[in-house]
Amino acid sequence: MAITDERFAEQEASVAGITAPSRLRVVAGRFFGSFQGRVGFALLALLFLLAFAGPYAGRWGYTDKDFMAFLQPPSGEHWWGTLQTGADVYAVTLRGMQKSLIVGLLAAVVGTTLAAVVGAFAGYFPGWADRALTWLTDLLLVLPAFLILAIMSPLFAGGQWPLFVLLLAMFLWMVTSKIVRSMTVSLKEREFIQAARYMGVPPARIIFRHIIPNMSSLLVVDATLNVSTAILTETSLSYFGFGIQPPDVSLGGLIADGAQTAVYAPWTFWFCAGLLIVTVLAVNLVGDSLRDAFDPATRKPATGKGAR
């Protein structure tokens, strides 16, 4: 494994009296050394800045209505135009972007945490615990997630979007959990795990202090890629009216409303759709670059004149 090799090299360097760079510095150097890593990080930083600082630059709030400007094109008064209701497109789009980013980040973190914990416990404890957790994972894999979330959508009204995040995260972790379980079965036979067990270290402490940290690269990349999955899922549900409920807004709801007027009022659709595309692209660029930074062996070999 790449993790073990790097740690072994650090130990060898310390024995030789050489100051070895930390793993975080090595990974960060690889990440920012790649073109797509820099582009993805810059895009994501700009999107967060636009979503959370941009509303303060505008004159209108996302709940404000201009009853003298229905479905007006972009102008000095309304930078991105207005909707059929007189709402400012700039304000409501940035509000929807805020909500989509928050939902994506929280759902990805919760989902990856569940995958790590369930997979590690299933792999470490053979027998009934493994069978029960594996059965739960397989059950959630075959359940129609979209249908369940759609049926429960009335519960998300009235500002109950954290419940939506929790339910969304419940359907993001199963595949990664199976990978974590397989890696745990292999890791628990390693010498340092055996030594901790013989010293009387409790199993839960071994799992959280030794096993899960040794899968940090997998979990970080999985969490990053789950952000785009969660954003697209939330957008799809909101497009059909099953996600974030009014009076709040999300990109999916705005795209659904804008699709009805996109032909003769394109500003009602393309600003939110464009930001969604750029957001998912930036997250995927960051995720791919993190994967290459944690495991350089996954990089495609150079071809052509520049190859050596």
Side-chain angles (χ1 to χ4, degrees):
M1 294 176 63
I3 298 176
T4 306
D5 294 340
E6 288 182 7
R7 289 182 177 174
F8 179 76
E10 291 175 5
Q11 292 174 358
E12 289 292 317
S14 62
V15 171
I18 303 172
T19 303
S22 66
R23 176 166 173 75
L24 181 61
R25 290 178 60 187
V26 171
V27 170
R30 291 174 184 162
F31 177 81
F32 289 105
S34 67
F35 176 74
Q36 73 172 17
R38 294 193 299 270
V39 171
F41 181 83
L43 280 177
L44 206 55
L46 288 174
L47 290 168
F48 268 93
L49 184 64
L50 176 64
F52 292 96
Y56 294 102
R59 299 179 53 185
W60 300 85
Y62 76 98
T63 57
D64 297 337
K65 302 288 190 298
D66 186 354
F67 297 110
M68 301 298 293
F70 293 108
L71 212 60
Q72 293 298 306
S75 63
E77 183 71 14
H78 298 281
W79 298 342
W80 291 359
T82 61
L83 301 176
Q84 297 182 85
T85 59
D88 185 73
V89 174
Y90 176 81
V92 296
T93 300
L94 295 191
R95 175 66 179 183
M97 190 176 171
Q98 286 180 15
K99 193 61 66 178
S100 294
L101 286 172
I102 292 173
V103 168
L105 286 172
L106 291 179
V109 170
V110 174
T112 301
T113 302
L114 277 172
V117 173
V118 174
F121 273 86
Y124 191 85
F125 295 103
W128 68 268
D130 183 20
R131 288 193 297 271
L133 292 174
T134 301
W135 177 84
L136 174 64
T137 304
D138 293 337
L139 175 64
L140 289 175
L141 273 174
V142 299
L143 288 177
F146 192 94
L147 179 60
I148 293 174
L149 289 169
I151 292 173
M152 301 189 70
S153 61
L155 300 177
F156 310 148
Q160 296 300 316
W161 62 267
L163 177 60
F164 173 70
V165 172
L166 182 61
L167 290 174
L168 181 59
M170 291 296 295
F171 295 100
L172 288 177
W173 59 273
M174 292 83 72
V175 174
T176 304
S177 176
K178 288 182 170 292
I179 299 173
V180 170
R181 177 192 174 277
S182 299
M183 295 178 67
T184 302
V185 171
S186 174
L187 278 173
K188 73 177 183 178
E189 302 301 328
R190 302 289 295 274
E191 291 80 2
F192 65 98
I193 299 295
Q194 295 286 356
R197 189 183 303 165
Y198 292 147
M199 292 173 64
V201 179
R205 187 180 179 88
I206 292 176
I207 289 173
F208 288 107
R209 293 291 300 273
H210 299 290
I211 291 180
I212 291 180
N214 268 274
M215 292 182 261
S216 58
S217 59
L218 167 69
L219 298 176
V220 168
V221 174
D222 178 72
T224 304
L225 297 178
N226 272 345
V227 172
S228 60
T229 302
I231 290 175
L232 288 175
T233 304
E234 181 276 326
T235 301
S236 301
L237 286 164
S238 297
Y239 182 88
F240 292 105
F242 301 130
I244 302 298
Q245 301 295 311
D248 217 333
V249 295
S250 72
L251 290 180
L254 293 174
I255 290 173
D257 293 338
Q260 303 175 17
T261 57
V263 175
Y264 55 89
W267 59 87
T268 62
F269 176 81
W270 287 109
F271 283 113
C272 50
L275 284 175
L276 174 65
I277 293 171
V278 174
T279 300
V280 174
L281 173 64
V283 171
N284 286 337
L285 286 175
V286 169
D288 290 343
S289 300
L290 278 174
R291 180 198 59 203
D292 294 341
F294 276 108
D295 188 4
T298 61
R299 296 180 181 176
K300 294 181 180 179
T303 59
K305 296 180 180 180
R308 293 183 179 180

